[in-house]
Each structure stands twice: as structure tokens, then as C-alpha cells.
Amino acid sequence: MSARQHVPVARTPGEEVPRRADLAALMRPALPALVDGIVREVWRAVPVYARPGSYGRVTRDGVECAVALFVDLVEDPLAPRDELYETCRRLGAGEAHEGRSLDDLQAAYRVGTRVGWRWIMRLGRRHRLSSPVMAWLAELLFGYADELARMSIRGHREVLAELDGTRAGLRRRLLRLVTRPGALPPDALADLAAAAGWPVPAEVVAVAAEEPVRTPWGPEALADLEAPQPFLLLPAPVDERDLAGLGTRVAVGPPAEPGAAAHSLRWARTALRLVADGALPDAPVTWCVEHLTTLWLLGDIPLVAEVARRELAPLAQFPDRTRHRLGETLLSWLQNGGNSEKIAVDLSVHPQTVRYRVRQLKQAFGERLEDPDARFAMQAALRASGLRSRGA
């Protein structure tokens, strides 16, 4: 089968994943040469980055990280960007610390994007990739370059604000500290909050927004609404009317102590992802406290899949349609204490059908159906699988 048949023409997740993987597999063997080409062109066009020592090393490390992540995004649009975003932010911050503008760094980004696109064009000709695929790659590449540039601009602005002694810079630093993993010690939080002019509430909620927005907030809020994953911290509780001004879909994390705000933010972002996947209802505001069980069951999709594979392994011997029906029956059997009449009403089938299916389940699962721990694990796996299927 040719590469033309594998590449991601369709945009639906179910169709694009294997095709994306094949396209990424075409790219990866050539990445070392691409990195060398980009670094060489950047050093030629922007000589300051060719200076011996840390500048040259940082340039190569940044290019390697950026190229590797781009191919990861070709394969998986949800590949984590945090490491590269932080690298780009530090590059911008470094320019500010040295009293330089972003002109050289922006020029380096333009050179890297140009070399990358020439490389993709050669790849397309070599593997006879279709015009829609090349257009998709162009959109992905140039959007990706814009994201990296924005993060460097952000780092540059943050340092300028901090160097100027402005309260805005201190508030951004405080926000980063309280939302990173690991609780911030109360004394450190109190000192930083006092310097930043943030009145520390008893509890906060993280609000994750779907798109960057430009909405001012009062001193009670810590906000980073122009980041690729925009969010803010607000005192709990929050009124839904206060969130309408954001103008984009948001998710509100569970209340947490200020030093543990990272947990609220993590669940808010998870909720946004599940809304996009269809596993949670589409709404302007999603309240995590209303969906805690779903968030718990689907908080780690690979782990959910592994639990389902292990706990529901006896169903694998049946054809797809039978496996689906037996799964529904098993969940209802667990929920209704094995009462055939209630199961029949629940599934809208005849009680005799229920009894036949239950005999199949007992033959397949054996004594595990009498084990309380196994029954709990099976019910959790079935519920999570049902939520995932609804999203798909």
C-alpha cells in the first residue's frame, strides 16, 4: 500500500490515528539530518547563535526538541507540549535578561520554519503525498511555528515585567508556582502573595478556557489567558455569570486550598478534554464537581484501557455483537444484584434472554463473579468503557 493511502486526509480522530502514525514513521529516520540543516542555517543567518559555549548548545537542543515534537504532533495531536513550551519561554526570557529584543530569535524561528518546509516538500515528492496532505502539513507547521514564537514572546515579556519590578510580573510568577505540581509552603505563598498584591482566599478554583482570550480581571484573580492553554484562579465559589465574559467554553475545577491549586487546574483541563471528546456534555461551563466519577474513571485513558482489558478478558472470546450484549448484561447484573426481572426491564429484553446471557457470563467468568473485589473492578471497567464509547 502506498504512503498516499496512509496519510491523514480525514480529520475525525478514529480515521486519522493510524494514518498519522504512518506519516510520522516516514519522517523520523530523516530527523537528525533535518536538525543539522536547521542549526547550520540558523547559525549562518543569525551569527549570534553560533557563538561558542551555551548559545550554540542551546540552539541545537532547542531545534532537536522542536523537530521531535513536531513529528510527535503529526502522529498524535494531543502529544504533550509542556517541555518545548517551557524551552521557548526560557529562550525569550534569556533574550530579555541580556537586554536584547526578540529580533534575532524571531529570525531564527523563521529560518527554522523555512528549512522545515523545504524538507517537507522533498518528503512529499519522494513519497508522492497528495495535495490535501501537503496542505495539512503546511497548516500544522506554520501554526506550530506561531505557537513557539508566542511562548518566547511570553517569556520575554515576563522577564521585562519582573525586571521592571511590576506587580504583573510577580503575579504571573506566583501563578506558575501555585499551579505547578507539589504544594507551595504556606509561608512562601503568603510572602509571594503579599508582594504580588493577591489577597489569598481560603479556597480557589481553577478555570480552564478552551481558547486564549483578552479579558481583564480584578486583583482577586490570577490569570494567564493568552497562553496556549489559558486559565485563571478565582476565589471559591464562582458565579457562572462571572465566567460569561470569557466568551469561550470553560471548565471549573474542584475547590482546593491555594497551595494545592494544581489539582484543581489538572481536573479542569481534563474536563475540557472530555467535553471535546464527547464523554462529557457540551456546555458553556462544565463544573467538575458535577462529574467527579466520570473524571475519576477517565482521568487516565491508557490505564482505563488496561483495566478493561484485564478485568473483562473473558468477554474477548465472543464476537463483537455478542461481547457488547454480554457487557451490557454484566453491568446490569452487577447493578441489580443479579435480579433477572430488573435486568430484563433495564435492558428491555425478555427474562429468558437475561437468564441465557447470565449462564454465558457464569461460564466465562466462573468464580470471579462471586469475588467482591473482582465485581467492583468489572463494574468500574464497564462504566469507564461505556463513557469512552459514548465519547467516541
Side-chain angles (χ1 to χ4, degrees):
M1 186 174 292
S2 70
R4 182 191 298 268
Q5 294 170 290
H6 284 288
V7 291
V9 176
R11 291 297 186 92
T12 56
E15 294 180 359
E16 71 183 11
V17 170
R19 300 181 182 183
R20 282 175 175 268
D22 290 341
L23 185 54
L26 295 177
M27 295 179 163
R28 286 199 170 93
L31 292 188
L34 174 61
V35 170
D36 288 341
I38 292 176
V39 171
R40 187 167 53 249
E41 285 298 304
V42 168
W43 285 351
R44 184 189 62 79
V46 193
V48 67
Y49 293 131
R51 290 186 301 183
S54 62
Y55 261 87
R57 184 175 64 254
V58 168
T59 301
R60 177 170 288 275
D61 290 346
V63 171
E64 288 177 347
C65 187
V67 167
L69 178 58
F70 177 76
V71 178
D72 288 345
L73 292 173
V74 168
E75 181 173 3
D76 177 8
L78 299 179
R81 297 165 163 82
D82 294 351
E83 180 180 352
L84 181 59
Y85 280 166
E86 181 59 22
T87 297
C88 293
R89 193 193 66 78
R90 286 201 304 268
L91 288 173
E95 298 293 272
H97 276 299
E98 291 206 7
R100 295 157 45 84
S101 72
L102 284 175
D103 292 349
D104 287 336
L105 186 56
Q106 298 283 30
Y109 282 141
R110 289 193 295 272
V111 170
T113 304
R114 186 168 63 247
V115 175
W117 177 240
R118 289 203 301 262
W119 177 77
I120 289 174
M121 292 288 287
R122 290 195 296 271
L123 183 83
R125 288 193 296 270
R126 187 181 310 123
H127 295 283
R128 294 179 296 139
L129 301 181
S130 66
S131 295
V133 172
M134 296 301 293
W136 176 78
L137 284 171
E139 179 183 353
L140 183 64
L141 174 64
F142 292 106
Y144 178 69
D146 286 343
E147 287 185 62
L148 303 190
R150 281 200 302 271
M151 294 310 296
S152 291
I153 292 171
R154 176 186 173 195
H156 193 266
R157 287 176 177 171
E158 287 175 356
V159 171
L160 289 180
E162 290 172 359
L163 292 175
D164 289 342
T166 65
R167 184 160 284 184
L170 292 172
R171 291 172 74 88
R172 281 192 292 269
R173 181 166 177 260
L174 174 61
L175 181 60
R176 289 200 304 271
L177 289 172
V178 297
T179 56
R180 71 182 183 183
L184 188 65
D187 291 344
L189 173 60
D191 291 343
L192 287 170
W198 184 53
V200 182
E203 286 189 320
V204 296
V205 293
V207 180
E210 188 174 55
E211 298 175 347
V213 296
R214 293 179 179 272
T215 303
W217 286 84
E220 77 284 355
L222 294 177
D224 189 358
L225 293 172
E226 297 182 32
Q229 291 182 295
F231 71 101
L232 67 158
L233 286 185
L234 294 173
V238 175
D239 191 320
E240 183 168 350
R241 292 171 296 183
D242 295 334
L243 303 175
L246 289 170
T248 185
R249 184 188 288 118
V250 300
V252 182
E257 294 182 355
H263 298 302
S264 183
L265 179 59
R266 175 166 58 92
W267 288 118
R269 285 176 169 166
T270 299
L272 267 189
R273 174 174 58 82
L274 294 179
V275 170
D277 291 344
L280 286 179
D282 189 1
V285 179
T286 299
W287 300 90
C288 288
V289 293
E290 297 177 359
H291 304 284
L292 292 178
T293 301
T294 300
L295 290 169
W296 170 56
L297 289 174
L298 298 185
D300 188 329
I301 295 298
L303 182 59
V304 167
E306 179 62 19
V307 170
R309 187 184 70 81
R310 290 174 177 271
E311 299 300 331
L312 307 179
L315 296 179
Q317 63 185 289
F318 298 100
D320 287 348
R321 181 175 296 183
T322 303
R323 183 166 63 248
H324 176 70
R325 290 173 177 171
L326 289 178
E328 286 184 331
T329 304
L330 176 58
L331 179 57
S332 184
W333 185 83
L334 292 166
Q335 292 173 329
N336 291 292
N339 187 308
S340 296
E341 298 296 330
K342 291 182 178 179
I343 298 171
V345 172
D346 186 23
L347 301 181
S348 300
V349 298
H350 194 278
Q352 187 61 32
T353 301
V354 171
R355 284 188 281 272
Y356 171 69
R357 292 182 187 176
V358 170
R359 284 197 298 272
Q360 288 181 291
L361 289 170
K362 289 183 176 179
Q363 290 174 356
F365 285 88
E367 295 181 355
R368 293 186 68 240
L369 291 181
E370 306 304 322
D371 182 344
D373 291 337
R375 288 162 66 140
F376 172 80
M378 284 187 284
Q379 186 168 352
L382 287 164
R383 285 180 173 272
S385 298
L387 290 168
R388 291 180 64 207
S389 298
R390 184 175 70 185

